[in-house]
Amino acid sequence: MVLPEVPGGLDPADPGFVADPYPVFHALRSRAALRWNPDWGAHVALSHELCSAALRHRDLRRVWTDREPAADFESFNALHRLSMLENEQHHDRLRAAVAPLFHRRHVESMREVITRLVDVRLTELCDRIEAHGDADLMAGLARPLPVDVIATLLGFPLRDGPLLRSWSNRIVRMYEPELDESARRDAEQAAGEFRGYVAELSDHRRRRPGDDLLSALAADPGGARELSGDELIANYVLLLMAGHEASVNGIGNAVVALHEHPEQWRYLRRLRDDDPALLTAVDELLRHDTPNQLFERTAVRGLELGGHRIEAGEKVVVLLGAANRDPAAFTSPDDLDLTRAPNPHLALGVGAHYCLGAPLARLEIGIVLAALAARLPNHSLPTPPPHGPAFAIRGYDRIDITA
C-alpha cells in the first residue's frame, strides 16, 4: 500500500504551525496515522498507537549517521557517536554506568537541594518583579534552574551554568528538521567547546577528586564502570543537555498552559509539593504541550508498521505531540485536566530509550510549580508569550510575569 504524502501544513518553517501545531496534527491523523514526508525523507507517525509501537519496536532504532561533511562536524559527530542515545551496540553498558544517579530513590533524596535551588532563583525573580513590575520567567527561572539542578547532580560547577546553557542550546538546534548553514557551524563550534570543557574538568577531577559521579568515572576510565575517556565526555555532555532541556520548556509550557486554564491553576494551588497528585498534574502538563515534539528511528531490517511496509534503512519520525493529543488514547485530548488518570503520554518516551532523567524532570517541575503557587499565587502574564522558532524543541522565547 502506498502511503499518502504529508500535505501542506506540517512545515517547521511556518511560524503559525510552530505556535500551534495541534490542529494540523489532528487533521493529518484523521486521514492517515502514518504518512510519507518527502521533505524529511521519512515516514511520519501521528497516532498514539503507532508512535508507541514505533518506539517499542526492536527493529526501529536510533542509528547514528555522521553529519556531512564529516570533517566539518568532527566534535558534534564524536559526541553523538559515543553517547548512550545513539550507540545501540553499547546502549545498555553506557546507560548502566550512570543510571544509579537517576533512580527514583536517589532523585527523591535531592528534593531538599532542588527546593533550595528553586528558592534562590524564585527569590531573584520576585525581586526583579518588585523592582520593575514584571520579569521574564524563562530567563530568570525556567532556563537557569534546570541547569543548576543537573549540574549539581553531575558535579559541574554552578558558576559555569551560563556557559553550559549556551553550549547546550546551540548544539540542540542541530536536531531541527531544517537548519541553515550558519546554525550548523555554530552547533559544531559549541560541541567542540563543550567537549574540551568536560575533558579538562574530568582531568581535574581525576587529579583532585570530589564526592560526585564525574570524579568516580574519571578516576577509573575503562575500569569497573567500563567507560572510556571519550565515552565519559560524550555521555556527560549528553546528560547535561538531555537532563535540562525538557525541564526548561516543561516549566515554561506549564506556566502558560495554567495561565490559559485558570480553573486548573486554582486546583494546583491547593497541592503540596510532596502531594502525589502534583506528579499526576505534571504528567498532564507534559502531555498537553509536549516539550520534545519528535523522535527519529531507523529500520535496521524490513518491518510492518500500521499495516505498511518499512524497508531497512528507512526512517520513521515519531510525532510525540500528535500522539499525546490523540482522541483514541485520551478523552477530550485538547483539554487540560490535571487529575487525568490513567495518562499514557509519550512526552518522556517509552521502551528501552525511556528518558533516564524522567524522575528528576517530573520532581523538578512539580517543585517549581508548587513554589510559584506559594510565592506568586495571583501572578499574571501581561503580554502573550512569544514562541521560540524551533519545532522539535517546543517552548517560549520569553514569558513576562507580574505578581
Side-chain angles (χ1 to χ4, degrees), residues 162-325:
L163 268 178
L164 302 174
R165 289 198 303 275
S166 174
W167 287 327
S168 179
N169 293 339
R170 291 157 62 196
I171 292 169
V172 300
R173 289 195 63 198
M174 192 76 105
Y175 306 154
E176 291 296 320
E178 299 172 14
L179 198 65
D180 62 41
E181 190 57 34
S182 65
R184 283 161 52 91
R185 288 195 300 269
D186 189 53
E188 167 62 17
Q189 180 181 348
E193 292 170 359
F194 204 165
R195 189 181 175 197
Y197 169 88
V198 176
E200 183 177 341
L201 183 61
S202 62
D203 181 63
H204 175 76
R205 295 291 169 79
R206 186 178 300 113
R207 291 181 283 106
R208 301 181 64 179
D211 185 21
D212 56 73
L213 181 65
L214 181 56
S215 295
L217 294 174
D220 190 24
R225 294 182 184 264
E226 297 184 345
L227 281 185
S228 71
D230 287 340
E231 287 174 338
L232 184 154
I233 293 168
N235 285 283
Y236 245 69
V237 170
L238 164 72
L239 290 171
L240 188 286
M241 293 194 304
H244 90 280
E245 284 291 346
S247 295
V248 168
N249 294 313
I251 293 168
N253 294 1
V255 169
V256 174
L258 290 166
H259 172 73
E260 294 172 346
H261 298 81
E263 76 289 353
Q264 298 297 306
W265 174 240
R266 287 192 292 271
Y267 164 77
L268 188 140
R269 281 165 49 182
R270 300 196 299 268
L271 303 179
R272 303 183 314 275
D273 66 357
D274 60 350
D275 190 327
L278 187 57
L279 291 183
T280 300
V282 169
D283 279 329
E284 172 66 354
L285 289 159
L286 290 170
R287 180 203 69 83
H288 183 261
D289 199 10
T290 305
N292 295 332
Q293 284 284 312
L294 64 84
F295 287 154
E296 183 184 279
R297 297 291 185 265
T298 302
V300 295
R301 55 181 61 86
L303 59 100
E304 295 286 324
L305 184 67
H308 297 281
R309 183 71 179 172
I310 309 291
E311 298 297 342
E314 291 185 342
K315 296 183 182 300
V316 176
V317 171
V318 176
L319 291 182
L320 304 175
N324 288 338
R325 294 287 190 101

Side-chain angles (χ1 to χ4, degrees), residues 84-129:
M84 70 182 79
L85 277 183
E86 308 294 354
N87 192 326
E88 287 283 352
Q89 181 180 356
H90 298 290
H91 169 265
D92 292 347
R93 173 178 62 84
L94 296 172
R95 186 173 175 124
V98 297
L101 208 58
F102 296 92
H103 286 171
R104 289 184 188 278
R105 184 175 300 175
H106 186 269
V107 167
E108 182 60 34
S109 73
M110 289 192 64
R111 177 182 290 273
E112 186 176 338
V113 172
I114 296 172
T115 300
R116 286 201 304 269
L117 292 170
V118 170
D119 185 64
V120 169
R121 291 293 182 180
L122 190 51
T123 296
E124 293 172 351
L125 185 76
C126 290
D127 289 346
R128 290 192 193 99
I129 293 173

Side-chain angles (χ1 to χ4, degrees), residues 130-147:
E130 185 175 356
H132 304 290
D134 63 11
D136 179 6
L137 179 107
M138 295 302 296
L141 178 66
R143 289 195 186 100
L145 185 276
V147 176

